[in-house]
Amino acid sequence: MMVDDLDAASQFVTDIGGELTCGPIVSATGRVIYARHPDGTHVEYVQWSADIRAHVLH
């Protein structure tokens, strides 16, 4: 899932009782976390870097 604020996404996951399973990781496209929600759903949250965002979204 793409997000504008990875730190806010991390906080959201912990606020709802989920857990971060990996990250944050810095990649070529930005920052990434992996999380498990309370219902067992695994989600990848990605915050693109400004350069990638501009390139892809114009």
Side-chain angles (χ1 to χ4, degrees):
M1 173 180 289
M2 293 219 16
V3 296
D4 291 328
D5 185 342
L6 194 65
D7 297 325
S10 297
Q11 187 64 51
F12 166 75
V13 169
T14 58
D15 285 350
I16 64 169
E19 66 176 308
L20 302 181
T21 57
C22 187
I25 300 166
V26 177
S27 72
T29 58
R31 295 189 323 141
V32 179
I33 60 170
Y34 295 91
R36 182 180 306 113
H37 285 219
D39 66 358
T41 302
H42 291 262
V43 180
E44 175 188 46
Y45 291 93
V46 179
Q47 179 182 344
W48 279 350
S49 67
D51 291 345
I52 295 296
R53 187 179 205 79
H55 177 75
V56 172
L57 301 178
H58 304 286

